Amino acid sequence: MEYLHSDIADTQQREKQHFHVLAVDDSLIERKLLERLLRESSCKVTCVDSGDKALEYLGLLDSQEIDRSTASSSFPQPSTQEGLKVNLIMTDYSMPGMSGYDLLKRVKGSSWKDIPVVVMSSENVPSRISMCMEEGAEEFLLKPVQLSDLKKQLQPHLLKLPVHPKIDITTTSNDNGNDRMIIDITMNNNQNVVVSKRKTMTPEPLERRPQMKGLAVI
Amino acid sequence: MDGVAQLQKQLVDFTDSLFQEGFLDEQFNQLQQLQDESNPDFVVEVVSLFFEDSERLLNELAKALEQKTIDFRKVDAHVHQFKGSSSSIGAQRVQKVCIAFRNYCEEQNIEGVKPWHRCLKCLQQVKLEYSLVKNKLETLFKIEKQLIAAGGSIPT
């Protein structure tokens, strides 16, 4: 089958513009779920089953840093670091060997430190959550992760992309305490951003702080 | 058409009962919502992975509890995994007995007595709940198959 040169170039262009998430979880079921959730949120996904594999993928393994040319890898390693683009890392906390916290620390102490890292856990342990947040985690999500949480999480990041996929976002901004505005940002078929505002009386707090889903408010 | 309507009702009633009896929770709904034309077998795929994983974990647990000196950390790790996977597919009753299991394991050092026999009992409960939900889900998938074969579609 012949491809026109421009088709390939278009695909590569679109590849670059996709939001790429590196998902780390030792559970196959979790990886399958996360992958589905992320693709449903218009992301490109790479799944690995351990912190070590994640570091390998990012080119951060000690062996890779010492000698790139001879490091063996199961991944098609890009020849240069610049070729690899990861926009977000989502990692499980409890994993055998390297924990999500350890991975977080390694990433934050590396050339990938500006990449947001989201930590997920099935256990609601406040000290664990604050430990991760202090280490620079972007967010701490409780499992099972819901599609709505994920979309809310990705929303600000997807908006930063030069050309982003069709998304339907509803954000609330607090204008004067009583009137609440809802801003709908959608893309029409011509890839034009359509912004519209409407007022609503239903109070919806604007949550910019890390959400601690599932924590009881006493 | 009668056959399709009957199967649809059977499916809806059966699914409702699973939720009412606590076999499944909201997370299972989430799975169903992730199934669409591009991912037509998503639920069956995830649940099949769950079955495989669960059987592996049950074997590991049985082995761990047969040891002369039980490594409770290992037991706890397996139960933690089981709790996680059951929670991810919405198998609520399995998740609940896993939580109870972990609690018993944590009680181990009261008066220096390791409640091994209680752990064994917990394992039996997990096995039971797992086989119940496996049975229920297999029945659910069977009805869905029959419905589709009869020319119907799964009600959303």
Side-chain angles (χ1 to χ4, degrees), chain A:
Chain A
M1 205 168 167
E2 285 191 46
Y3 290 94
L4 290 175
H5 179 70
S6 59
D7 285 344
I8 297 169
D10 277 342
T11 312
Q12 285 175 339
Q13 188 67 9
R14 260 180 276 125
E15 280 287 306
K16 278 192 200 150
Q17 288 158 359
H18 265 120
F19 194 79
H20 184 202
V21 180
L22 177 63
V24 191
D25 200 312
D26 61 304
S27 158
L28 179 55
I29 295 163
E30 298 291 331
R31 288 199 303 277
K32 185 167 173 78
L33 263 175
L34 202 52
E35 187 198 32
R36 179 75 190 92
L37 286 170
L38 287 167
R39 280 192 295 109
E40 185 65 22
S41 309
S42 310
C43 297
K44 179 180 161 209
V45 194
T46 300
C47 289
V48 294
D49 64 8
S50 71
D52 282 317
K53 292 261 177 69
L55 290 179
E56 184 185 15
Y57 186 77
L58 297 169
L60 294 177
L61 278 187
D62 292 335
S63 57
Q64 288 170 315
E65 287 167 335
I66 291 168
D67 187 354
R68 260 174 218 289
S69 55
T70 57
S72 64
S73 157
S74 48
F75 298 106
Q77 281 285 321
S79 48
T80 59
Q81 194 75 12
E82 297 94 74
L84 183 64
K85 180 182 70 85
V86 174
N87 298 101
L88 176 80
I89 298 170
M90 290 191 72
T91 179
D92 185 25
Y93 181 90
S94 327
M95 296 187 289
M98 184 181 289
S99 73
Y101 176 73
D102 297 326
L103 177 61
L104 168 68
K105 273 175 82 171
R106 285 293 297 270
V107 169
K108 289 300 167 185
S110 77
S111 49
W112 292 96
K113 61 174 159 42
D114 293 326
I115 306 294
V117 180
V118 172
V119 182
M120 305 170 288
S121 176
S122 56
E123 293 172 309
N124 188 345
V125 182
S127 57
R128 176 185 293 184
I129 297 172
S130 43
M131 209 171 66
C132 288
M133 299 310 291
E134 272 164 40
E135 199 57 45
E138 156 105 346
E139 181 61 273
F140 193 100
L141 294 178
L142 288 180
K143 285 175 162 184
V145 176
Q146 313 274 286
L147 185 60
S148 51
D149 291 331
L150 202 58
K151 282 187 166 171
K152 240 192 286 184
Q153 187 57 235
L154 296 170
Q155 168 190 331
H157 298 291
L158 285 171
L159 281 174
K160 286 188 206 149
L161 289 178
V163 177
H164 48 88
K166 284 194 171 78
I167 36 176
D168 182 7
I169 308 161
T170 306
T171 34
T172 10
S173 71
N174 198 344
D175 276 352
N176 55 19
N178 287 325
D179 288 317
R180 310 250 172 189
M181 301 293 286
I182 300 235
I183 301 168
D184 290 320
I185 305 173
T186 52
M187 289 191 84
N188 62 18
N189 286 324
N190 298 324
Q191 299 278 49
N192 292 320
V193 178
V194 176
V195 182
S196 53
K197 274 188 189 181
R198 54 193 164 88
K199 272 192 182 174
T200 177
M201 292 310 280
T202 46
E204 275 185 79
L206 178 65
E207 302 204 349
R208 300 319 262 163
R209 297 182 53 248
Q211 289 174 54
M212 305 213 177
K213 176 195 142 182
L215 282 183
V217 177
I218 301 167

Side-chain angles (χ1 to χ4, degrees), chain B residues 33-97:
Chain B
Q33 281 169 34
L34 289 172
Q35 184 160 293
D36 57 20
E37 307 87 55
S38 337
N39 303 272
D41 302 309
F42 184 70
V43 181
V44 172
E45 285 167 7
V46 178
V47 172
S48 301
L49 284 177
F50 171 69
F51 289 163
E52 278 172 38
D53 202 44
S54 302
E55 262 135 65
R56 176 187 64 87
L57 286 168
L58 286 171
N59 281 332
E60 294 293 324
L61 278 167
K63 263 198 290 187
L65 290 176
E66 278 166 20
Q67 302 305 310
K68 264 202 171 146
T69 6
I70 297 174
D71 184 349
F72 278 96
R73 275 194 315 187
K74 220 181 201 175
V75 171
D76 186 71
H78 290 318
V79 181
H80 171 79
Q81 272 188 56
F82 209 154
K83 189 195 89 166
S85 58
S86 57
S87 155
S88 293
I89 71 146
Q92 191 183 62
R93 278 163 64 153
V94 176
Q95 186 189 357
K96 286 201 168 131
V97 292

